[in-house]
Amino acid sequence: MVVLPLVTLVLHGALAGLFYAFSMSVMPGLNAVEPAQAEAAMRSVNRKILNPWLYVAFLGAPLAALAAGLLTGNVWFYAAAGVNFAGSFLVTVAVNVPMNNAINAGTMPWKDYSPRWTGWNTLRAVASFASLVLVGIGLTGL
């Protein structure tokens, strides 16, 4: 009964770490080079990040939290699923992916892309860490 909640914790931690790393190191690093270089690097990142490991964490975290809530009846897992869905999934689909598509298409310059994308990504990191904490609280009740 504790395996699924532990997997949920790991998935939330992986997702929070990914978003945190982008806001705290990847984007500042890209901001330190010429905009054309940053755009080219981000296009490469956008291609490479779309892989099964991303989907396991990105889709798996809220689904695992929901399943853990159903399995245990613990409301903290439901809360984690909701926070993750709203703060990570919806923000990604509504904001970050369209911006990635724009940078990939060359229709948004780096100076417009980077601060806005980083701000929304930081929100995803905060939401992911909040959902990680909620999963942790849920684990203490098992």
Side-chain angles (χ1 to χ4, degrees):
M1 175 140 135
V2 79
V3 173
L4 180 59
L6 285 174
V7 168
T8 302
L9 183 75
V10 169
L11 292 173
H12 280 81
L15 195 57
L18 172 70
F19 294 145
Y20 176 82
F22 263 90
S23 285
M24 299 308 143
S25 61
V26 174
M27 296 307 285
L30 292 176
N31 287 333
V33 300
E34 292 297 319
Q37 293 173 315
E39 289 173 12
M42 194 65 184
R43 282 192 291 274
S44 180
V45 168
N46 288 340
R47 283 189 304 273
K48 295 298 182 182
I49 200 166
L50 297 177
N51 67 70
W53 293 112
L54 170 69
Y55 296 121
V56 166
F58 181 68
L59 299 174
L63 291 175
L66 182 61
L70 290 170
L71 178 69
T72 66
N74 191 316
V75 298
W76 294 105
F77 293 114
Y78 292 122
V83 169
N84 184 284
F85 181 76
S88 171
F89 184 83
L90 289 180
V91 170
T92 298
V93 170
V95 180
N96 291 89
V97 167
M99 290 183 69
N100 288 346
N101 293 340
I103 201 83
N104 291 346
T107 59
M108 179 179 273
W110 186 256
K111 68 177 181 59
D112 296 335
Y113 173 88
S114 179
R116 184 171 169 221
W117 190 95
T118 303
W120 284 103
N121 184 70
T122 301
L123 174 67
R124 296 189 300 179
V126 169
S128 294
F129 278 115
S131 63
L132 176 65
V133 169
L134 292 168
V135 170
I137 293 169
L139 278 166
T140 64
L142 295 181

